[in-house]
């Protein structure tokens, strides 16, 4: 499968994907990286790995749909089969999401469906939850609501703050994101009619990897 990664910032998840591709000989290949910011360090990570990059700045387009159309055309030009959101800080239009339904995944720093949106680590601490983590899910038009595939779970420590918790969750992201990508590439995970399947069976609740 041909893979494209959409980024906006530092690109640590992109680096985890690049490293996994080099070490594990994926069934797929990252053929391009798109950033909406020209100064995103993720672009440098891609260039160091000899991956083609494209800057499509959202500020250059008067409407979100026009920006998304530009990305769509680039993805089509690369012949992309799977789109990975890795710290891509733009809300995508419904048209774009529908065009890539079942072919686009994201990772969110919470145990979805808990804590959709921003500031998840502090919200977990404010609530007093025992467990926290991250979720890889298919992208749908509803924010952070697509079929969940795999979660990384950590136990919240008594001395955790938002920064220490974020760091531990981020480390889990680097483990579970490459795994899900490989599962999709080798068809262990499939998407059919809005339903995610694992080895041919519907995923009723996401698989979990625990790290206490």
């Amino acid at each position: 499968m041909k893979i494209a990664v959409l980024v906006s910032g530092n690109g640590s998840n992109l680096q985890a994907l690049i490293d996994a591709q080099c070490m594990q000989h994926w069934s797929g290949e990252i053929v391009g990286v798109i950033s909406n910011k020209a100064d995103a360090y993720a672009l440098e990570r891609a260039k160091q790995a000899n991956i083609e990059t494209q800057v499509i700045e959202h500020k250059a387009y008067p409407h979100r749909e026009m920006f998304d159309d530009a990305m769509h055309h680039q993805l089509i030009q690369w012949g992309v089969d799977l789109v990975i959101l890795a710290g891509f800080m733009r809300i995508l239009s419904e048209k774009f999401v529908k065009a890539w339904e079942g072919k686009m995944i994201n990772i969110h720093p919470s145990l979805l469906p808990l804590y959709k949106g921003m500031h998840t680590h502090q919200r977990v601490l404010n609530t007093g939850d025992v467990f926290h983590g991250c979720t890889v899910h298919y992208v749908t038009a509803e924010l952070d609501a697509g079929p969940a595939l795999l979660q990384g779970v950590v136990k919240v420590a008594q001395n955790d703050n938002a920064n220490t918790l974020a760091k531990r969750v981020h480390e889990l992201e680097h483990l579970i994101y490459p795994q899900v990508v490989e599962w999709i590439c080798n068809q262990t995970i499939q998407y059919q009619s809005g339903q995610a399947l694992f080895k041919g069976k519907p995923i009723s609740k996401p698989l979990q990897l625990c790290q206490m």
Side-chain angles (χ1 to χ4, degrees):
M1 297 184 76
K2 292 185 177 181
I3 301 166
V5 185
L6 308 189
V7 299
S8 295
N10 179 57
S12 65
N13 266 316
L14 170 64
Q15 189 64 58
L17 295 167
I18 291 171
D19 292 345
Q21 177 176 263
C22 293
M23 292 186 294
Q24 297 177 5
H25 304 290
W26 272 353
S27 307
E29 177 189 5
I30 301 173
V31 297
V33 171
I34 295 176
S35 176
N36 65 311
K37 295 185 177 181
D39 61 350
Y41 185 68
L43 293 168
E44 182 61 29
R45 296 181 188 272
K47 291 173 183 176
Q48 290 174 4
N50 296 315
I51 297 171
E52 187 173 346
T53 63
Q54 184 68 47
V55 176
I56 303 177
E57 294 190 275
H58 62 276
K59 293 181 180 179
Y61 297 87
H63 303 291
R64 180 184 300 167
E65 290 76 11
M66 294 177 66
F67 167 68
D68 287 358
D69 283 346
M71 290 199 300
H72 177 77
H73 290 312
Q74 181 61 66
L75 295 171
I76 295 298
Q77 184 176 328
W78 283 335
V80 168
D81 303 300
L82 177 66
V83 179
I84 300 174
L85 307 183
F88 185 67
M89 303 304 291
R90 299 293 301 171
I91 295 176
L92 298 166
S93 65
E94 185 174 353
K95 177 184 175 182
F96 183 88
V97 171
K98 286 186 175 179
W100 293 94
E101 182 179 351
K103 301 178 182 178
M104 181 161 57
I105 59 174
N106 181 45
I107 192 162
H108 181 73
S110 80
L111 299 176
L112 292 173
L114 299 174
Y115 307 111
K116 298 176 182 179
M118 304 289 286
H119 311 300
T120 60
H121 312 300
Q122 188 60 55
R123 289 159 68 191
V124 164
L125 292 171
N126 292 346
T127 307
D129 290 359
V130 176
F131 297 104
H132 185 36
C134 48
T135 306
V136 180
H137 64 96
Y138 278 111
V139 177
T140 60
E142 185 180 351
L143 182 66
D144 299 330
L149 306 172
L150 179 62
Q151 293 180 327
V153 182
V154 296
K155 189 171 184 179
V156 180
Q158 288 187 347
N159 61 345
D160 264 328
N161 57 43
N163 290 332
T164 61
L165 197 52
K167 181 180 179 181
R168 292 167 60 212
V169 170
H170 215 49
E171 291 172 354
L172 269 180
E173 291 181 16
H174 298 164
L175 293 176
I176 70 171
Y177 218 1
Q179 179 62 75
V180 171
V181 172
E182 173 56 16
W183 279 340
I184 292 174
C185 287
N186 67 23
Q187 299 190 346
T188 298
I189 287 179
Q190 297 176 304
Y191 186 91
Q192 295 180 3
S193 303
Q195 174 72 61
L197 308 177
F198 182 79
K199 296 183 178 179
K201 296 181 180 180
I203 301 176
S204 57
K205 60 180 181 179
L207 304 166
Q208 290 191 333
L209 171 70
C210 296
Q211 181 175 316
M212 300 305 177

